[in-house]
Amino acid sequence: MKKETVIVVSAGAAVGLAAIFLMLLGNPANMGFCIACFLRDIAGACGLHNAAKVQYVRPEIIGLVLGALAMSLATREFRARAGSAPAVRFVLGGFVMIGALAFLGCPLRMVLRLGGGDLNALVGLIGFTIGICIGIVFLKKGFTLGRSYEAKAVEGGVLPIVMAVLLILVLAVPALFNFSEEGPGSKHAPFFIALVLALIVGALAQKSRLCMVGGIRDAIMLKDVHLLIGFIAIFVVVLIGNLITDNFHLGFAMQPIAHSSHLWNLLGMMLTGWGSVLLGGCPLRQLILAGTGNGDSAVTVFGMIVGAAMAHNFGLAGNADSLNDAKELVVGGISTYGKVAVVLGLIVMLVVGLMNLPKEEAT
């Protein structure tokens, strides 16, 4: 256990350092890594949505998957498997993304935002924890999406192959993709530096089993906090980094790419937490698992990409706080359609949870 704790703390510290460097090198503030935001940017770059400000092929996503692949091959942990309710996982992945984009960040970015002084992320953390607790209730009652089965190597390699092809295409034929000229998508660290850092983080995340949902879930269910310590390490490193670089700004209003509509911050992350428990891991963990041969996680990632596209095509994503011409605060949040989507997502989680209980529990 001590060795595992050292590994996960080291991985968390490395993630925090990488996040600080990526922000200093050009990534948006409090967004050294954000699985939800970066998958959204890739969806836009590939033409799946037309929100011009969030379109860029993020090398961080490519690096996370390929880094996890490399580590799993090196440690002989790559194992192709699939077949655990793929269609349901696709839908859950889409709603997890809708919840995250309502909040404007995945669980990892939530921690990074906390480390930058964004108190809206604290509201998100409360909602996230509530969602995990609801998911735990279902786990204790026997919830399962069914077992996965051994599969051919090509099945387990689908997402790494897709990411490798994406990398080749963006380097060889960049004109195929859309790239933002303003907004968050136009802010990014140098491509190859981001790729290398993500490769390292992906390898470490695979080795340490880093997962925000798993950390909180295990702390509550099993009184095992070693995964949670990894995210505490991320927070501490990012907090120190932001204080040193004068990028720590405590408060709710006008935080970078964030809104202070508290109810929807809470409910958005509640949806993300609940869905992630049912899926067996947070968005970061799904990427890492897909890199190690888990075809079910690959399906989940594709669901998240489609969810991101839908969030922007149908106006479901959150809007950041802003100032009007009179320099008065205009609180952001989500549209009426976005609110309906979040509530619908919570209903879907309930239905999926109930439908996948043992028969004696479901009745």
Side-chain angles (χ1 to χ4, degrees), residues 298-335:
V299 169
T300 301
V301 172
F302 291 135
M304 289 193 289
I305 292 171
V306 171
M310 292 180 65
H312 281 278
N313 285 330
F314 300 123
L316 312 179
N319 296 297
D321 288 350
S322 60
L323 297 176
N324 61 19
D325 292 338
K327 302 301 179 181
E328 297 170 330
L329 175 67
V330 177
V331 175
I334 57 176
S335 67

Side-chain angles (χ1 to χ4, degrees), residues 22-277:
L22 288 170
M23 287 186 285
L24 293 176
L25 290 171
N27 276 16
N30 291 348
M31 200 186 291
F33 284 102
C34 178
I35 309 307
C37 304
F38 290 179
L39 286 175
R40 172 205 63 196
D41 291 353
I42 288 177
C46 293
L48 298 180
H49 70 71
N50 296 314
K53 293 184 178 181
V54 284
Q55 297 175 329
Y56 181 65
V57 178
R58 292 283 179 180
E60 294 89 345
I61 296 294
I62 298 172
L64 287 170
V65 174
L66 297 184
L69 171 67
M71 178 61 79
S72 68
L73 290 173
T75 57
R76 299 183 179 180
E77 294 181 348
F78 182 90
R79 185 165 64 90
R81 54 208 182 276
S84 173
V88 173
R89 289 180 183 275
F90 183 90
V91 172
L92 293 181
F95 277 110
V96 163
M97 177 63 77
I98 287 171
L101 291 180
F103 167 72
L104 291 176
C106 69
L108 178 53
R109 186 176 184 236
M110 178 177 67
V111 176
L112 301 182
R113 285 172 56 176
L114 280 171
D118 183 354
L119 295 180
N120 299 295
L122 184 59
V123 177
L125 177 59
I126 293 170
F128 187 63
T129 303
I130 292 171
I132 291 172
C133 289
I134 296 172
I136 288 172
V137 171
F138 282 88
L139 292 181
K140 288 183 175 180
K141 289 181 176 292
F143 171 87
T144 177
L145 289 175
R147 59 166 295 187
S148 59
Y149 300 88
E150 289 189 12
K152 294 181 179 180
V154 68
E155 175 75 19
V158 166
L159 193 64
I161 291 170
V162 168
M163 290 299 162
V165 171
L166 183 62
L167 177 61
I168 293 169
L169 288 176
V170 76
L171 293 176
V173 199
L176 291 175
F177 301 96
N178 301 316
F179 294 97
S180 298
E181 297 182 358
E182 60 178 346
S186 67
K187 299 178 181 179
H188 49 81
F191 190 93
F192 286 106
I193 294 177
L195 179 63
V196 171
L197 288 175
L199 284 167
I200 295 169
V201 168
L204 292 173
Q206 195 281 325
K207 184 67 176 177
S208 63
R209 308 313 195 248
L210 201 61
C211 178
M212 183 67 171
V213 167
I216 296 175
R217 179 200 62 207
D218 290 354
I220 294 172
M221 286 186 69
L222 308 174
K223 311 304 180 186
D224 179 356
V225 298
H226 93 273
L227 282 178
L228 188 58
I229 290 174
F231 277 84
I232 294 174
I234 295 174
F235 168 75
V236 171
V237 170
V238 170
L239 175 62
I240 293 171
N242 280 321
L243 288 171
I244 291 173
T245 59
D246 198 27
N247 287 314
F248 180 84
H249 306 289
L250 186 65
F252 288 102
M254 293 302 295
Q255 292 289 343
I257 314 178
H259 64 76
S260 49
S261 181
H262 301 315
L263 176 62
W264 297 102
N265 278 325
L266 186 144
L267 291 179
M269 287 310 287
M270 178 177 162
L271 174 57
T272 297
W274 190 353
S276 295
V277 171

